[in-house]
Amino acid sequence: MERSIETQVSQAVDAWLRWLPRWEPATHRGRVAPCRRCIGSPVLSAAGLGADVPHGVQHGLSTRVKTIVDHAVAEYTARNLPLLQTELDQQAARNRARSYRPTEGLEPEFDGLPMDPDPVPGAPFLFTIGGLAEEVDAAIPALPPLSDEAKAALRQEIGLADDYANMIGREVCAVLLHHRLRIQAAVAQYVEPQIAAMLEELTRSLDAPFDPNPDPGPGLTEP
Ligand SMILES: [Zn+2]
């Protein structure tokens, strides 16, 4: 039997809580572009993970929850929307024909993130992961075009799938409200101390920029 949405959300929060102690602030230059999955996400506001929480922490949860919604919509489509299902099957077959699929099988913390770092002006990359994937895509034949009637019918089914996704999304958010306290407790335990330590370190290095005998302290010896 299919697990209820309530159970699935609870298990997704459990998995995120197991991962959170391993979270560390990013040491590399952050992305400039905001993440489309996390910015303004109703899932994250239901979970109480606001914009003051680092993106990596948000992304691990929003992706796990998105998987639940995607799965529910896939089941609904398979049962009720034959045209959309056929279209998805054809696209899936086309995907399987690709020899290089860098966006598949990633951990939730990395899924949906840009594959390549922001380019640095004047220093082009020799190659990018996105570029390699595009080259592979170009070698695969496109799907046959649809008639106007088929397109209209397909659009209608896509609308129904969207409505269903919104309904499941609202259900997921309602369930997440019940998990806010343990989510916030975990952020207070594992995330906030690391951010406070980073800010303190920054303040200290700004206070004494020309100290002739600096005390490197933990974590300051890295270049
Ligand atoms: Zn994100």
Side-chain angles (χ1 to χ4, degrees):
M1 207 188 78
E2 184 64 34
R3 290 167 302 151
S4 69
I5 291 292
E6 198 172 346
T7 307
Q8 292 181 54
V9 170
S10 178
Q11 288 172 344
V13 174
D14 289 345
W16 178 81
L17 288 171
R18 280 195 299 274
W19 162 79
L20 194 63
R22 299 202 303 274
W23 175 81
E24 284 176 10
T27 49
H28 52 79
R29 196 168 56 92
R31 289 282 304 189
V32 177
C35 174
R36 276 186 291 171
R37 186 173 298 166
C38 294
I39 287 279
S41 159
V43 162
L44 290 175
S45 51
L49 288 180
D52 53 330
V53 177
H55 174 239
V57 173
Q58 296 179 322
H59 197 84
L61 187 67
S62 63
T63 299
R64 286 181 168 94
V65 171
K66 179 183 180 290
T67 305
I68 297 171
V69 179
D70 287 352
H71 184 71
V73 174
E75 297 246 303
Y76 173 81
T77 302
R79 271 199 307 272
N80 304 297
L81 307 174
L83 297 175
L84 180 55
Q85 187 59 54
T86 304
E87 182 72 15
L88 293 175
D89 287 345
Q90 285 177 349
Q91 284 180 9
R94 194 171 179 270
N95 278 338
R96 278 194 299 274
R98 291 187 177 116
S99 54
Y100 181 59
R101 288 169 282 175
T103 59
E104 291 181 18
L106 299 174
E107 292 295 315
E109 291 75 39
F110 299 106
D111 179 87
L113 293 181
M115 287 178 282
D116 294 294
D118 283 327
V120 179
F125 297 120
L126 287 179
F127 65 88
T128 60
I129 294 173
L132 291 178
E134 272 170 32
E135 277 174 36
V136 172
D137 282 4
I140 297 180
L143 294 175
L146 294 170
S147 69
D148 284 349
E149 297 94 273
K151 268 187 212 160
L154 184 60
R155 258 197 295 273
Q156 199 179 4
E157 289 201 356
I158 291 172
L160 289 171
D162 269 350
D163 290 347
Y164 188 78
N166 286 329
M167 193 193 81
I168 296 292
R170 281 194 294 273
E171 195 178 335
V172 157
C173 287
V175 176
L176 272 173
L177 290 174
H178 299 292
H179 294 280
R180 282 182 91 123
L181 285 180
R182 60 191 194 123
I183 288 171
Q184 280 163 10
V187 168
Q189 184 178 355
Y190 296 112
V191 178
E192 284 167 9
Q194 295 199 61
I195 294 175
M198 250 170 57
L199 290 177
E200 198 188 296
E201 202 171 290
L202 183 67
T203 311
R204 232 184 305 137
S205 62
L206 289 177
D207 281 349
F210 302 115
D211 188 342
N213 298 305
D215 166 21
L220 279 180
T221 48
E222 292 287 316

